[in-house]
Amino acid sequence: MSKEEEKEEAFRIQQEILQRRRNKKAQESYFNDVQKRRTEVEASIRSRRLQINAGEDPLVAWKRLRAEGKIKDLGYEDVPEGGIPMPMASFGIPKYDNGERFDLRLPYADQGYEDPDADVMKKVGNFFGGLFGGNKGQK
């Protein structure tokens, strides 16, 4: 497409927008279509989210749904063959924006996971406190 054709296309689109703004029914129809598309996308995204019952461990739910085939195998289907894969921005690509990234399909993606043994500063404090008698009477 030449530069002149691109300008003409952009001008045509701008004119359509202006006509739609002037015509209340056309504008209403347009916004109804937009709302319909948004609702469909939201339903699609919600259906892919991990469905967890109240009080259920996300890892147990994830394993159950994976066994039922509701969660695809993790990994990329389109792994490039040969050469060096060049990273690119993931925004604007529906495959990644709509929750298809492998890390968004993992069990703790929505609520997070905290390792109870990960508090390094507490361990260091306990070590030095015990060394100098600071933890006497504490459990």
Side-chain angles (χ1 to χ4, degrees), residues 14-61:
Q14 287 175 345
Q15 293 303 311
E16 287 177 4
I17 292 170
L18 288 173
Q19 287 175 359
R20 192 171 52 239
R21 287 180 181 170
R22 290 182 191 123
N23 183 348
K24 293 289 182 191
K25 288 186 180 182
Q27 189 174 16
E28 190 175 305
S29 172
Y30 171 76
F31 284 125
N32 286 340
D33 290 342
V34 168
Q35 189 60 40
K36 180 181 172 189
R37 287 194 313 264
R38 286 180 180 168
T39 304
E40 289 172 0
V41 168
E42 188 177 340
S44 172
I45 290 171
R46 247 194 244 123
S47 71
R48 285 189 228 139
R49 279 191 131 170
L50 189 60
Q51 305 297 321
I52 301 174
N53 299 328
E56 186 177 15
D57 181 23
L59 183 59
V60 173

Side-chain angles (χ1 to χ4, degrees), residues 84-125:
I84 300 172
M86 299 299 290
M88 58 186 215
S90 63
F91 51 85
I93 301 173
K95 171 179 167 179
Y96 300 114
D97 286 345
N98 296 333
E100 286 296 316
R101 286 184 9 204
F102 76 92
D103 57 339
L104 294 179
R105 292 186 278 157
L106 293 173
Y108 294 101
D110 287 333
Q111 73 183 47
Y113 173 76
E114 185 176 329
D115 186 3
D117 296 329
D119 191 358
V120 177
M121 293 308 290
K122 182 178 178 185
K123 289 181 181 180
V124 169

